[in-house]
Every structure is written in structure tokens, then in C-alpha cells.
Amino acid sequence: MDELKRIAEGSEPVSSLAMPVFGEEGLPGRCVFIDIRDKSMSHPYERVSFEPGDKALIDLDAKPSPSDFVLALVPEEQTALFRLYREVGRAEDGSIIIDLVPLNPNFRTIRISSISPGQIIGVCRSIHRVFDLSTPTQRPRLG
């Protein structure tokens, strides 16, 4: 988590990682790839679903909009969170109250506000799912 804080602040260089980028897609100026490690953003009936092992390209310079997928740091959590960004209101001081919403209903929503602080690190620009085809699998024969 400390490394992500330093990367977001621009005080630590982003390490280079070989990751294919397809089509017309270009890499943002400051970005990181993160590994999706849990099922919090997995949902079989959503149009977009993230599975463990997926790689998310996070644009560190982008400002989030409602319904973006974001990477966030929340002090009481032990890890960075990858969630759906939802603005739910304004606090008395004028700051935006944000909910970090999982797609999987078995995980809890985390609130960022002036009372429970957090930091949005970046916005997801693409997801990369890699299939390992090196190990043959047993496929049923047709016919």
C-alpha cells in the first residue's frame, strides 16, 4: 500500500511490465497494472465482471466519474481496493461523499468521506484477461 501511495504522489517511478496492449489503445502517461486477487468485483449477471488473475490498467492521472472502476486507498483496509465509484452526496464542508461499491453482493461497500478518509489513486481504463493455453485441457469429442 505504501508503494501505491508513493506512485500516486509521483515520488516513485512506475515499474515497467510487459503487458500486451491491443488495437488503438495507448498507455496513459502514468499508469500501473494491478492484479485482481479476489471475487469482490465478480458478478455473473453484470455486463462487466472482474475475475481473480485479471490485470486492470489504472490511469493514475484520471479523475473519476460516477460508474468508473477505481483503485482506492482506505486507511482502515489492509490493501488497496478496486471498486465501482459512486458519488452519494456532499458533506457539510462541501466535500464529496463516495461509496466504493463491489459488484459481488457478498462484499461490503466502503464509504469515503471527511469522517472516514480515503484516496482515489486512479481510474481503470482497460482489463486484460490472460488465458494460459500451454496446458492442454480435456475437451469433449463432437460426433
Side-chain angles (χ1 to χ4, degrees), residues 12-42:
E12 182 159 320
V14 178
S15 60
S16 170
L17 172 66
M19 175 60 67
V21 179
F22 303 100
E24 301 295 316
E25 179 182 8
L27 290 175
R30 286 186 347 108
C31 63
V32 293
F33 280 98
I34 62 163
D35 288 319
I36 305 298
R37 295 189 177 158
D38 64 22
K39 302 283 275 175
S40 64
M41 295 300 287
S42 176

Side-chain angles (χ1 to χ4, degrees), residues 98-123:
I98 299 162
D99 276 353
L100 300 172
V101 182
L103 296 179
N104 185 333
N106 294 317
F107 289 76
R108 64 189 173 92
T109 296
I110 305 291
R111 179 156 288 175
I112 295 177
S113 69
S114 54
I115 296 169
S116 43
Q119 177 185 7
I120 304 299
I121 297 296
V123 177

Side-chain angles (χ1 to χ4, degrees), residues 9-82:
E9 294 165 355
S11 61
E12 182 159 320
V14 178
S15 60
S16 170
L17 172 66
M19 175 60 67
V21 179
F22 303 100
E24 301 295 316
E25 179 182 8
L27 290 175
R30 286 186 347 108
C31 63
V32 293
F33 280 98
I34 62 163
D35 288 319
I36 305 298
R37 295 189 177 158
D38 64 22
K39 302 283 275 175
S40 64
M41 295 300 287
S42 176
H43 196 288
Y45 303 115
E46 290 290 335
R47 186 177 66 82
V48 176
S49 182
F50 303 88
E51 300 298 330
D54 288 351
K55 312 270 188 241
L57 174 64
I58 306 296
D59 183 345
L60 299 172
D61 293 325
K63 300 295 178 215
S65 297
S67 78
D68 279 343
F69 296 104
V70 298
L71 183 65
L73 295 176
V74 180
E76 64 265 6
E77 298 298 316
Q78 297 300 314
T79 185
L81 297 174
F82 182 68

